[in-house]
């Protein structure tokens, strides 16, 4: 009631105060009725001004809404006040007030036209929104130009109206042509028209069109000269990387771990910055026509600005708001003094920081001019990427003319100088990112001998190996998300497929390569005894089934999720990279993987995943997800210019030799691959795939699914450099998804009810199909994917949404007096337990799966992973070691001597981690562990990492 009455009075007062004129009935009918539906739910003044008087449809709907409210109030009578007399009086007062308010709001005519906002009659007639009227009514013709333009959509206006306006330019990507409208960098501009006269003159229109084309070509030439022909394509390919580079300004870089996070406004433009109105001089009594007589006298004190509209606020980089303001809100004259404005901003920022004590002074010293300008360049490039990909798609010369005076719209959408400024600063920022970060080069030891003149020094960034690893990582991130869909689909169906024990029939990798045959037989005999007994290192005790028989539990089970995920990942990687990359999957390496469409050992055939196979177009797209300039690999893993030239020339000669003879009998043409990297032919690049780590937990039920992961690790010359861990059943916070917890609770309730009736649950066996539940499709969400590489760090994103990646924070310093340890759940032994409790931990978490333990360390839940016994293999630890190292220097070592494992192709025949695993998230924890366990220091001296030879 109050809202209707207030709006009615406001409109009436506005007509009297602003001197507006009432529209004629013909003009009201002519206005487009495009926002009729809005009047049903929102009785806004701007909507009604566009429509004139309220049409009958919204009136009826609004009346129905009032009747509904009255009816609801009537039905709630007994529940609220039990029919008291006071309530009855209030109810009928509300009914009468509603009727009166509705009559006032519905019958009032707000369709006035402000004299200051009168539109041009010719422009309205061109839109077809004003009918021909007599010349006597010409003074009454008008309309709100902004409102009519919004209602008419993409309608055009008379070019003669906006003569003299500044040109505007939009950049997009397309094949190059010098004089074509669809050129590589298409420039749409408004020209500076010098013609005068009426808007209906054809000669004036032709002159304006010619000026527009001339200005457009001139600006196109200028933009091509500054940004290059492939400006749009370069921004498109670098889009995800630029977004991550802008994030790194907030959470730190490899050379500056502190970052520069602050509170950003998010929409810091001129329209959201208001200044207090300067007070007017005090009026005297004789100024009877002035209603401001009580205002204080005018003062010379400066007024402080106030920022409004904080709906997008949140943490971000310090340069975020500054870059946004400079590109959207400066005048053309101020745009020429951008460097002076940046200096003024930094001076004020430094002064404010220094006034906040020692911490502020340290921050001011670290965030210097070079740091601010680098962050600005990155944000300029990221913002140009966003503009070229989304905002500028709808900008046309006519829209720029219409929007030239709209201060609430970014200047780059209505002014050529600002758009050219955005484009040039964007390409400069992109080139700076591609050239690396300050501090990449290590300080040269003054006592070290000078490098040889003929030394083949590899580049720090953007080398051949970096390009290959970046492409592999981009493809692996997408494959891990696809594999997670397979795992969740199998869990929802309740059909695990052929669950068998690979430890009985598959290859054995748990022994050392030099182990003798007699010792192997003895160990296998002992292992079989442990599998059927009640004690032993495996800790897997069989329980009685419903019939009372003893059934052994599968030590190393396999499901159709394992097989289908491995086929998808390994086949795609081999098709994309060919022989330059060696791919090793767990199931195929253990001899337990049937080919696609072939029956398994039990006669079953796995479901087909052809719909998930990546097309060449998608492969090329995901390969650009990570850029080579984001990586910072160790120099010893990179290829120098001389070696690169030699390897490329050798590859070219091989191609010529294969193509020379048309085709000899017995010669098979090598299968072509999508990506070619001849310079990496000798880099020993390997990919280790565990399609479903924690299969045993997967088989045992939802209670243990948080430890289930998909692991993909990339190694170069035996050193892990990139890794991907997908957790199908956890949320973005790393905790079990709510749907999984609900399934566990429902399962526990059913088991409790059956147990009360005397039913004993069966343990999971080799074929536990009868124990599995089914779940509705989509019950477990999309999971979480962790991925990273040195130089970039570790990022986390919801499954299939890599554009929402956020950084994983660096681990806190481990407290050795309150150490948190993760260890095995399914393979305990006295030796492992003794090693764990020798550290005197405050917390011990027992969970399954190597990937799940690494995820706990990355999330900061535990400090170290201790399992100095056989049980894991290279595909279990390659991805984890790469991620721990990328996240501020974490480590994985052998449990016997503290050395690092090798992951080259030569080790694929015996990939078992026979010496156990000890890992830590904090790089400073390694020397303490070496001091705690002296046997880890096999090299002697002080060692700061597993690959450090040690200092005597």
């Amino acid at each position: 009631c109050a809202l209707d009455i207030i709006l009615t009075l406001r409109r009436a007062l506005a007509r009297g105060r602003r001197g507006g004129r009432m529209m004629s009935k013909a003009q009201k009918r002519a206005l487009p009725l495009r926002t009729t539906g809005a009047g049903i739910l929102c009785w806004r003044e701007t909507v009604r001004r566009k429509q004139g008087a309220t049409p009958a449809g919204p009136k009826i709907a609004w009346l129905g809404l009032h009747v509904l409210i009255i009816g609801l109030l009537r039905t709630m009578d007994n529940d609220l006040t039990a029919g008291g007399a006071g309530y009855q009086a209030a109810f009928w007062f509300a009914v009468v007030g509603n009727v009166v308010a509705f009559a006032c709001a519905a019958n009032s005519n707000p369709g006035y036209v402000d004299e200051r906002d009168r539109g041009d009659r010719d422009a309205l007639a061109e839109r077809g929104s004003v009918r021909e009227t007599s010349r006597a009514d010409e003074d009454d013709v008008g309309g709100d130009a902004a409102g009519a333009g919004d209602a008419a959509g993409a309608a055009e206006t008379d070019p003669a109206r906006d003569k003299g306006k500044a040109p505007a330019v939009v950049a997009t990507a397309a094949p190059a042509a010098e004089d074509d409208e669809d050129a590589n960098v298409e420039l749409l501009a408004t020209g500076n028209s010098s013609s005068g006269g009426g808007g209906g003159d054809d000669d004036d229109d032709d002159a304006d069109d010619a000026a527009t084309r001339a200005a457009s070509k001139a600006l196109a030439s200028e933009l091509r000269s500054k940004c290059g022909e492939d400006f749009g394509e370069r921004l498109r390919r670098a889009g995800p990387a630029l977004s991550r580079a802008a994030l790194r300004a907030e959470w730190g870089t490899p050379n500056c771990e502190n970052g520069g996070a602050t509170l950003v406004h998010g929409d810091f433009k001129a329209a959201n910055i208001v200044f207090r109105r300067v007070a007017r001089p005090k009026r005297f009594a004789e100024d009877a026509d002035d209603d401001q007589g009580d205002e204080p006298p005018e003062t010379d004190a400066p007024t402080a600005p106030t920022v409004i509209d904080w709906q997008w606020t949140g943490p971000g980089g310090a340069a975020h708001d500054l870059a946004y303001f400079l590109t959207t809100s400066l005048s053309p004259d101020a745009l020429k003094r951008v460097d002076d404005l940046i200096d003024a901003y930094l001076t004020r920022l430094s002064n404010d920081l220094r006034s906040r004590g020692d911490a502020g002074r340290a921050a001011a010293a670290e965030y210097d001019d070079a740091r601010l300008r680098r962050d600005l360049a990155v944000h300029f490039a990221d913002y140009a990427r966003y503009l070229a990909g989304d905002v500028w798609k709808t900008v046309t010369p006519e829209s720029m003319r219409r929007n030239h005076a709209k201060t609430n719209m970014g200047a780059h959408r209505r002014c050529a100088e600002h758009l050219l400024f955005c484009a040039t600063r964007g390409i400069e920022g992109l080139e700076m990112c591609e050239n690396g970060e300050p501090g990449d080069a290590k300080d040269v030891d003054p006592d070290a001998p000078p490098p040889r003149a003929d030394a083949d020094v590899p580049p720090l960034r953007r080398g051949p190996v970096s390009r290959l690893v970046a492409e592999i990582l981009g493809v692996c991130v997408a494959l891990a998300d696809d594999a997670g869909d397979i795992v969740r689909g199998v869990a929802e169906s309740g059909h695990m497929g052929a669950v068998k024990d690979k430890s009985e029939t598959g290859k054995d990798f748990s022994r050392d390569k030099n182990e003798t045959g007699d010792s192997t037989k003895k160990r296998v005999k002992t292992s079989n005894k442990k599998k059927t007994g009640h004690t032993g290192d495996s800790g897997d005790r069989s329980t009685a089934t419903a019939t009372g028989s003893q059934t052994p539990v599968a030590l190393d089970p396999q499901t159709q999720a394992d097989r289908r995920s491995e086929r998808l990942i390994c086949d795609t990687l081999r098709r994309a990279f060919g022989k330059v990359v060696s791919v090793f999957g767990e199931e195929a390496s253990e001899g337990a993987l049937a080919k696609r469409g072939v029956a398994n050992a039990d006669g079953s055939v796995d479901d087909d995943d052809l719909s998930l196979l990546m097309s060449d177009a998608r492969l090329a797209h995901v390969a650009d997800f990570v850029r080579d300039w984001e990586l910072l690999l160790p120099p010893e893993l990179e290829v120098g210019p001389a070696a690169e030239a030699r390897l490329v020339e050798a590859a070219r000669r091989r191609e010529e030799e294969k193509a020379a003879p048309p085709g000899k009998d017995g010669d098979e043409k090598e299968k072509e691959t999508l990506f070619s990297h001849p310079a990496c032919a000798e880099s020993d690049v390997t990919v280790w795939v565990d399609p479903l780590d924690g299969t045993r937990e997967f088989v045992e039920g939802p209670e243990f699914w948080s430890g289930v992961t998909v692991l993909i690790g990339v190694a170069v010359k035996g050193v892990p450099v990139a890794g991907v861990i997908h957790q199908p059943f956890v949320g973005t916070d790393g905790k079990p998804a709510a749907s999984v917890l609900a399934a566990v609770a429902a399962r526990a309730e059913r088991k409790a009810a059956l147990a009360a009736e005397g039913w004993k649950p069966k343990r999971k066996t080799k074929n536990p199909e009868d124990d599995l539940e089914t779940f509705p499709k989509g019950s477990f969400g999309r999971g979480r994917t962790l991925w990273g590489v040195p130089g970039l760090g570790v990022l986390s994103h919801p499954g299939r949404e890599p554009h929402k990646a956020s950084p994983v924070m660096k681990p806190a310093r481990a407290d050795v007096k309150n150490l948190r340890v993760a260890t095995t759940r399914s393979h305990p032994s006295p030796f492992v337990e003794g090693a764990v409790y020798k550290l005197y931990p405050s917390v011990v978490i027992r969970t399954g799966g190597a990937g799940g333990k690494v995820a706990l360390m990355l999330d900061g839940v535990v400090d170290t992973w201790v399992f100095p016994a056989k049980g894991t293999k290279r595909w279990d630890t390659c991805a984890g070691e790469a991620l721990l190292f990328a996240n501020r220097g974490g480590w994985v070592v052998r449990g016997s001597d503290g050395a690092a494992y090798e992951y080259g192709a030569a080790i694929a025949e015996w990939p078992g981690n026979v010496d156990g695993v000890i890992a830590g998230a904090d790089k400073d924890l390694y020397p303490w562990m070496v001091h705690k366990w002296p046997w880890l220091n096999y090299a002697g001296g002080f060692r700061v990492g597993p690959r450090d030879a040690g200092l005597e």
Side-chain angles (χ1 to χ4, degrees):
C1 298
L3 180 63
D4 286 339
I5 295 174
I6 289 172
L7 290 179
T8 302
L9 295 176
R10 180 185 176 188
R11 285 189 288 271
L13 292 175
R15 286 199 299 272
R17 183 173 64 251
R18 302 177 66 182
R21 294 187 179 185
M22 300 300 297
M23 286 186 181
S24 65
K25 292 183 178 180
Q27 295 167 15
K28 296 172 188 175
R29 288 194 301 267
L31 289 177
L33 199 60
R34 298 181 182 273
T35 52
T36 301
I40 298 175
L41 300 178
C42 186
W43 215 262
R44 295 174 54 192
E45 180 182 359
T46 55
V47 174
R48 301 188 62 177
R49 286 181 62 186
K50 294 178 184 178
Q51 300 177 176
T54 309
K59 287 182 181 180
I60 297 173
W62 190 248
L63 179 61
L65 183 60
H66 281 261
V67 172
L68 177 62
I69 293 174
I70 293 172
L72 291 176
L73 289 173
R74 186 64 178 174
T75 56
M76 290 189 296
D77 178 16
N78 295 331
D79 296 334
L80 295 177
T81 61
Y87 173 79
Q88 294 291 338
F91 169 76
W92 287 112
F93 176 80
V95 171
V96 176
N98 255 295
V99 174
V100 174
F102 172 77
C104 294
N107 294 325
S108 63
N109 191 339
Y112 63 90
V113 180
D114 195 329
E115 287 287 354
R116 291 172 293 181
D117 296 334
R118 292 185 63 190
D120 186 78
R121 183 179 185 278
D122 294 333
L124 293 176
E126 185 176 326
R127 296 189 186 99
S129 57
V130 176
R131 300 177 181 176
E132 289 296 331
T133 58
S134 63
R135 298 295 296 176
D137 295 332
E138 184 172 358
D139 291 340
D140 293 331
V141 177
D144 188 319
D150 292 340
E156 297 182 353
T157 59
D158 185 2
R161 290 187 56 208
D162 300 294
K163 61 182 180 180
K165 301 260 180 97
V169 55
V170 175
T172 58
E178 184 65 27
D179 296 327
D180 194 359
E181 290 286 339
D182 297 327
N184 179 11
V185 181
E186 181 186 10
L187 296 171
L188 308 175
T190 61
N192 293 326
S193 175
S194 59
S195 61
D201 191 358
D202 294 339
D203 295 337
D204 292 341
D205 293 342
D206 295 340
D208 287 337
D209 293 341
T212 298
R213 289 193 296 268
S216 179
K217 291 182 179 180
L219 290 172
S221 177
E222 183 179 2
L223 188 58
R224 288 192 186 98
S225 64
K226 293 183 177 181
C227 301
E229 297 285 349
D230 58 346
F231 171 57
E233 178 65 16
R234 290 177 64 187
L235 285 178
R236 183 196 67 77
R237 297 185 62 186
L242 284 174
S243 179
R244 291 189 293 268
L247 277 177
R248 296 222 306 271
E250 173 189 348
W251 49 273
T253 66
N255 303 313
C256 182
E257 294 186 357
N258 292 331
T262 184
L263 184 69
V264 300
H265 180 272
D267 194 15
F268 195 70
K269 57 186 178 183
N272 289 333
I273 304 174
V274 296
F275 292 81
R276 187 180 303 278
R277 185 175 58 186
V278 177
R280 299 178 181 177
K282 186 173 182 179
R283 301 291 182 177
F284 295 97
E286 57 266 28
D287 298 330
D289 58 339
D290 192 354
D291 58 351
Q292 304 294 332
D294 56 347
E295 289 192 357
E298 184 176 7
T299 61
D300 295 332
T303 59
T306 299
V307 183
I308 61 174
D309 192 5
W310 290 83
Q311 62 175 327
W312 303 110
T313 189
H320 180 280
D321 281 344
L322 181 59
Y324 185 74
F325 178 81
L326 294 177
T327 54
T328 59
S329 303
L330 294 185
S331 66
D333 293 334
L335 198 64
K336 302 175 183 178
R337 299 184 291 112
V338 168
D339 291 336
D340 295 337
L341 297 176
I342 295 174
D343 292 338
Y345 172 87
L346 181 61
T347 301
R348 177 62 182 270
L349 176 64
S350 300
N351 292 337
D352 287 352
L353 286 174
R354 291 191 178 95
S355 65
R356 296 171 182 260
D358 294 340
R361 285 190 290 270
E366 182 175 332
Y367 204 79
D368 55 5
D369 182 73
R371 175 75 181 279
L372 174 62
R373 292 186 181 272
R374 174 173 178 80
D375 290 352
L376 271 176
V378 173
H379 281 85
F380 279 137
D382 186 44
Y383 192 46
R385 181 266 314 170
Y386 163 69
L387 295 176
D390 182 65
V391 176
W392 289 341
K393 293 188 300 184
T394 60
V395 176
T396 64
E398 300 303 329
S399 68
M400 283 194 166
R401 275 196 287 266
R402 289 195 305 270
N403 301 327
H404 185 77
K406 291 186 177 180
T407 57
N408 193 36
M409 185 176 292
H412 53 78
R413 299 174 61 183
R414 49 192 176 89
C415 181
E417 288 85 351
H418 289 79
L419 198 149
L420 190 60
F421 171 82
C422 291
T424 53
R425 289 299 179 109
I427 199 65
E428 291 172 1
L430 177 59
E431 291 175 350
M432 186 202 64
C433 291
E434 293 176 346
N435 293 331
E437 296 182 356
D440 282 350
K442 303 294 184 182
D443 295 335
V444 179
D445 185 0
D447 298 329
R452 294 173 47 187
D454 59 346
D456 190 16
V457 180
L460 289 172
R461 293 181 187 259
R462 306 191 67 188
V465 177
S466 295
R467 288 194 292 270
L468 175 58
V469 172
E471 291 180 359
I472 295 175
L473 181 57
V475 174
C476 288
V477 169
L479 287 174
D481 289 340
D482 292 346
D485 289 343
I486 293 177
V487 175
R488 284 185 293 271
V490 172
E492 291 165 358
S493 68
H495 176 64
M496 292 291 181
V499 182
K500 67 176 185 177
D501 191 354
K502 295 183 295 182
S503 61
E504 293 183 352
T505 58
K507 292 174 64 176
D508 178 26
F509 299 117
S510 61
R511 66 184 179 90
D512 194 350
K513 183 177 180 180
N514 298 323
E515 191 175 1
T516 62
D518 294 339
S519 60
T520 301
K521 295 179 181 179
K522 181 178 180 180
R523 182 188 46 74
V524 171
K525 182 177 179 180
T526 304
S527 177
N528 291 335
K529 180 178 179 180
K530 290 176 181 177
K531 285 190 290 184
T532 57
H534 295 274
T535 59
D537 291 346
S538 65
D540 299 314
R541 301 183 181 182
S542 301
T543 57
T545 61
T547 59
S549 61
Q550 296 286 339
T551 306
V553 177
L555 289 176
D556 193 5
Q558 182 198 71
T559 68
Q560 66 163 319
D562 296 76
R563 298 187 293 269
R564 291 166 57 189
S565 297
E566 180 165 321
R567 292 191 192 103
L568 173 68
I569 297 172
C570 296
D571 292 352
T572 302
L573 291 174
R574 293 187 182 109
R575 179 167 63 90
F577 300 100
K579 294 183 178 180
V580 73
V581 175
S582 301
V583 183
F584 303 104
E586 177 188 13
E587 310 304 327
S589 298
E590 294 181 342
L593 181 65
K595 294 183 178 180
R596 189 186 305 274
V598 178
N600 298 305
D602 63 343
S604 63
V605 178
D606 297 329
D607 294 340
D608 196 2
D609 296 308
L610 293 177
S611 61
L612 293 176
L613 292 179
M614 288 190 183
S615 62
D616 290 348
R618 189 188 175 206
L619 274 172
H621 176 71
V622 299
D624 285 334
F625 179 65
V626 182
R627 304 299 294 169
D628 53 2
W629 47 266
E630 296 184 277
L631 278 63
L632 189 59
L633 301 183
E636 59 271 15
L637 304 182
E638 195 54 85
V639 176
E644 180 181 3
R646 173 179 58 82
L647 292 169
V648 171
E649 178 63 20
R652 185 186 63 81
R653 291 179 180 178
R654 288 195 301 270
E655 291 295 331
E656 291 179 353
E657 293 175 357
K658 289 191 299 182
K664 297 182 179 180
D665 295 338
D667 291 345
E668 294 184 1
K669 186 176 180 180
E670 185 175 336
K671 185 177 180 181
E672 295 182 358
T673 58
L674 183 62
F675 307 107
S676 177
H677 294 271
C680 302
E682 299 178 357
S683 295
D684 190 16
V685 180
T686 56
V687 180
W688 298 86
V689 179
D690 190 343
L692 185 59
D693 182 49
T695 307
R696 180 170 178 173
E697 282 71 23
F698 184 55
V699 170
E700 290 184 349
E703 295 88 347
F704 309 101
W705 282 356
S706 60
V708 175
T709 56
V710 177
L711 304 178
I712 308 176
V714 183
V716 178
K717 296 181 180 179
V719 180
V721 295
V724 182
I725 297 178
H726 179 78
Q727 297 177 279
F729 303 105
V730 303
T732 55
D733 57 355
K735 299 179 181 179
S739 55
V740 177
L741 295 176
V744 171
R747 180 184 176 119
E749 291 178 0
R750 290 195 298 269
K751 287 186 176 181
L754 292 173
E757 298 176 2
W759 179 82
K760 294 182 179 180
K762 294 182 290 184
R763 283 293 302 270
K764 295 297 176 183
T765 63
K766 295 182 181 179
N767 190 18
E769 302 295 331
D770 52 349
D771 288 344
L772 295 177
E773 300 93 342
T774 60
F775 302 93
K777 186 175 179 59
S779 297
F780 304 119
R782 293 188 173 182
R784 178 179 74 155
T785 303
L786 299 164
W787 57 278
V789 68
L792 178 61
V794 179
L795 294 99
S796 169
H797 70 258
R800 287 194 174 277
E801 294 182 306
H803 59 281
K804 295 183 179 180
S806 59
V808 174
M809 294 295 100
K810 65 178 182 180
R813 186 178 180 86
D815 183 4
V816 296
K817 295 183 179 179
N818 296 281
L819 208 61
R820 299 165 299 173
V821 178
T823 189
T824 181
R825 180 187 72 89
S826 56
H827 296 79
S829 67
F831 180 72
V832 172
E833 296 299 312
V836 169
Y837 287 102
K838 187 175 179 61
L839 300 176
Y840 300 100
S842 61
V843 177
V844 177
I845 297 179
R846 306 180 188 278
T847 183
K853 299 179 183 68
V854 173
L856 290 177
M857 285 189 284
L858 294 174
D859 290 333
V861 178
V862 298
D863 302 310
T864 182
W865 168 26
V866 177
F867 182 59
K870 301 177 182 179
T872 62
K873 303 178 179 64
R874 295 300 199 274
W875 43 72
D876 295 314
T877 54
C878 183
E881 181 173 349
L883 291 179
L884 289 173
F885 179 75
N887 195 33
R888 312 303 200 273
W891 45 273
V892 175
V893 299
R894 301 174 184 266
S896 60
D897 54 9
Y901 281 111
E902 298 296 325
Y903 295 86
I907 203 66
E909 185 179 358
W910 304 102
N913 298 334
V914 295
D915 295 316
V917 172
I918 298 176
D922 182 9
K923 61 182 179 181
D924 296 329
L925 186 62
Y926 182 79
W928 180 85
M929 296 283 282
V930 170
H931 176 74
K932 192 72 174 179
W933 290 336
W935 66 81
L936 296 180
N937 194 2
Y938 76 100
F942 178 75
R943 305 176 65 234
V944 296
R947 300 186 186 276
D948 179 19
L951 300 176
E952 296 294 339

